[in-house]
Amino acid sequence: MIVAPPDPVVLAGLATTRPGPAGASLLRAGLHARRLLLLKTLLVRVQRHRETVAPAVLRGFEAGWLLLERAERARPDVVRAVLDYPTTGAWLAAALTEPLGPGLDRHLAHLELLAVTAALRAGVEVDLVVDTPGGVLPLPGVGRVESGGAGRLRIDARSRAVRIGGGDGTGSRAVLRRRANGPARTLTGSGPGWRGLRALPGGATRLEDLDPYRLPPDMGIPARAAADHADTDHAGWADRWTAARRLLRGTDRERAIEVGRSVDAVVPLVPRGTRAIGATLSAAPGAVLMTPSAGAADMAETLVHELHHSKLATLHELVPLHRPHPPGRAAPTYRVGWRTDARPVAGVLQGVYAHLALADLWHRAARGSRAPGLPERWRVRSAQRFDHVHDQVVEALAILLESDELTNEGREFARQMRKHLASLSSGRRALA
């Protein structure tokens, strides 16, 4: 997908897992290019099979496309933010893999809601009536309106106030206020049925417990469930987020900044058992799915670990690091220290990258033992965990470097990871 060969220096920097402006810029550009490509692919699919799409859905899809174009002419930065939001990627993945029929029609109807969201944030005038399947009107990255059973809602946005009510123009259910200037990242709302996303303290990261695409059905074994907005302890999540960011800032300020800028959404999962769980979706970089953490250290580690799964997934779309396995043949699998099951080379690469990031974090925490405000137990825990994971990453890197499944870029990426781990290993005895 990438047009020009990547700068080897930038790739080497990404391989170390250390935050850097050049790497972040490459990944942001790659993510957006990927979203535009997938959106265009969906448009082509609809055009080729338009006779199979329900007429009302097709009209809404085409109206949404035109509205999205209007919003982009007014505020291209806002449209980019909407398209790059994690759940937009999950929606595109679902729509592009759904067979033709009613299921695809339901996904296609979501484009109009994305376009409405972009238009409202961009300050564009909107006056239209939209269907609300299930009695819910989602505005991705902003919130949702619960229609109270109404099958259609009218959106009237011809000023700074946006009124959302019954399809006949009566019975206003929600009022949104939008900024005339500024970044327009959020809309504030009130009124019956309005549910707005909460921003986590100190930045623009949302606690995403509203979007219908925040968690695919049947994810995980056993299947995981996304926490409902009404059942989410928003204050508790805010407290844990603040404590985790404070711990990261005291340990590694650059990583704390990267987490704040790169994690667009934290998706609460329903707990199952006592162990904290974190996950990411390759189609939705920037979203971290997790159960409530046991403490600041658990959450900080989960954020760093899962963010690096997202970073590597985005990079692999830009610069393939391993080759696809030939169809019809079982892919080789390998044993790694942090899993009980054997993993394909893609899983080994993902695991190495995420654990190298943690090793880097723990190394800094252990060496910065006397930093003001950092608890001693964090230093001790970090030293122990670095020592535990170090040999596991060494062994998994050997698997990667001996494999013929990596591309040339992937092999060099693995070499740079090994080089960075070696730089951390030089002071290993001093961490105890």
Side-chain angles (χ1 to χ4, degrees), residues 323-334 342-345 404-405:
R323 299 180 183 88
H325 196 72
R329 291 172 50 194
T333 57
Y334 310 90
R343 305 292 288 158
V345 73
D404 61 0
E405 296 177 78

Coordinates of all heavy atoms in Angstrom, one line a residue, residues 323-334 342-345 404-405:
R323 N 5.1 -12.5 5.2 CA 4.4 -12.9 4.0 C 3.1 -13.6 4.4 O 3.1 -14.4 5.3 CB 5.3 -13.8 3.1 CG 6.6 -13.1 2.7 CD 7.5 -14.1 1.8 NE 8.7 -13.4 1.5 CZ 9.8 -13.5 2.2 NH1 9.8 -14.2 3.4 NH2 10.9 -12.9 1.9
P324 N 2.1 -13.5 3.5 CA 0.9 -14.3 3.8 C 1.2 -15.7 3.5 O 2.0 -16.1 2.6 CB -0.1 -13.7 2.7 CG 0.7 -13.1 1.7 CD 2.0 -12.6 2.4
H325 N 0.6 -16.6 4.3 CA 0.8 -18.0 4.1 C 0.0 -18.6 3.0 O -1.1 -18.1 2.8 CB 0.4 -18.8 5.4 CG 1.0 -20.2 5.5 ND1 2.3 -20.4 5.6 CD2 0.4 -21.4 5.3 CE1 2.5 -21.7 5.6 NE2 1.4 -22.3 5.4
P326 N 0.6 -19.4 2.2 CA -0.2 -20.0 1.0 C -1.5 -20.6 1.5 O -1.5 -21.4 2.4 CB 0.8 -21.0 0.4 CG 2.1 -20.6 0.9 CD 1.9 -20.0 2.2
P327 N -2.6 -20.4 0.8 CA -3.9 -21.0 1.1 C -3.8 -22.5 0.9 O -3.1 -23.0 0.1 CB -4.9 -20.4 0.2 CG -4.0 -19.9 -1.0 CD -2.7 -19.5 -0.4
G328 N -4.6 -23.2 1.8 CA -4.6 -24.7 1.7 C -3.6 -25.4 2.4 O -3.5 -26.7 2.4
R329 N -2.6 -24.7 3.0 CA -1.6 -25.3 3.8 C -1.6 -24.8 5.2 O -1.8 -23.6 5.4 CB -0.2 -25.1 3.2 CG 0.0 -25.8 1.9 CD 1.3 -25.3 1.3 NE 2.5 -25.4 2.2 CZ 3.6 -24.8 2.0 NH1 3.8 -24.1 0.9 NH2 4.6 -24.9 2.9
A330 N -1.4 -25.6 6.2 CA -1.4 -25.2 7.6 C -0.2 -24.3 7.9 O 1.0 -24.7 7.5 CB -1.4 -26.4 8.5
A331 N -0.4 -23.2 8.5 CA 0.7 -22.3 8.8 C 1.5 -22.9 9.9 O 1.0 -23.4 10.9 CB 0.2 -20.9 9.1
P332 N 2.9 -22.8 9.9 CA 3.7 -23.2 11.0 C 3.4 -22.4 12.3 O 3.0 -21.2 12.2 CB 5.1 -22.9 10.6 CG 5.1 -22.7 9.1 CD 3.7 -22.2 8.8
T333 N 3.5 -23.0 13.4 CA 3.2 -22.3 14.7 C 4.4 -22.6 15.6 O 5.2 -23.5 15.4 CB 1.9 -22.9 15.4 OG1 2.0 -24.3 15.5 CG2 0.7 -22.5 14.5
Y334 N 4.5 -21.6 16.6 CA 5.7 -21.6 17.4 C 5.3 -21.4 18.9 O 4.3 -20.7 19.1 CB 6.7 -20.5 17.0 CG 7.0 -20.6 15.5 CD1 6.2 -19.8 14.6 CD2 8.0 -21.3 15.0 CE1 6.5 -19.8 13.2 CE2 8.3 -21.4 13.6 CZ 7.5 -20.6 12.8 OH 7.8 -20.6 11.4
A342 N 0.4 -22.5 20.8 CA 1.4 -22.2 19.8 C 0.9 -21.1 18.9 O -0.3 -21.0 18.6 CB 1.7 -23.4 18.9
R343 N 1.8 -20.2 18.4 CA 1.3 -19.0 17.6 C 1.9 -19.0 16.2 O 3.1 -19.4 16.0 CB 1.8 -17.8 18.3 CG 1.4 -17.6 19.8 CD -0.1 -17.4 19.9 NE -0.5 -16.1 19.4 CZ -1.7 -15.8 19.0 NH1 -2.7 -16.7 18.9 NH2 -2.0 -14.5 18.6
P344 N 1.2 -18.5 15.2 CA 1.8 -18.3 13.9 C 2.8 -17.2 14.0 O 2.9 -16.4 15.0 CB 0.6 -17.9 13.0 CG -0.4 -17.4 14.0 CD -0.2 -18.1 15.3
V345 N 3.6 -17.0 12.9 CA 4.7 -16.0 12.9 C 4.1 -14.6 13.2 O 4.8 -13.8 13.9 CB 5.5 -16.1 11.7 CG1 4.8 -15.5 10.5 CG2 6.9 -15.4 11.9
D404 N 11.7 -18.1 7.7 CA 11.7 -17.6 6.3 C 10.4 -16.9 5.9 O 10.2 -16.6 4.7 CB 12.0 -18.7 5.3 CG 11.0 -19.8 5.4 OD1 10.0 -19.7 6.1 OD2 11.1 -20.8 4.6
E405 N 9.6 -16.7 6.9 CA 8.3 -16.1 6.6 C 8.3 -14.5 6.7 O 7.3 -13.9 6.3 CB 7.2 -16.6 7.6 CG 7.0 -18.1 7.5 CD 6.0 -18.6 8.6 OE1 4.8 -18.4 8.4 OE2 6.4 -19.2 9.6

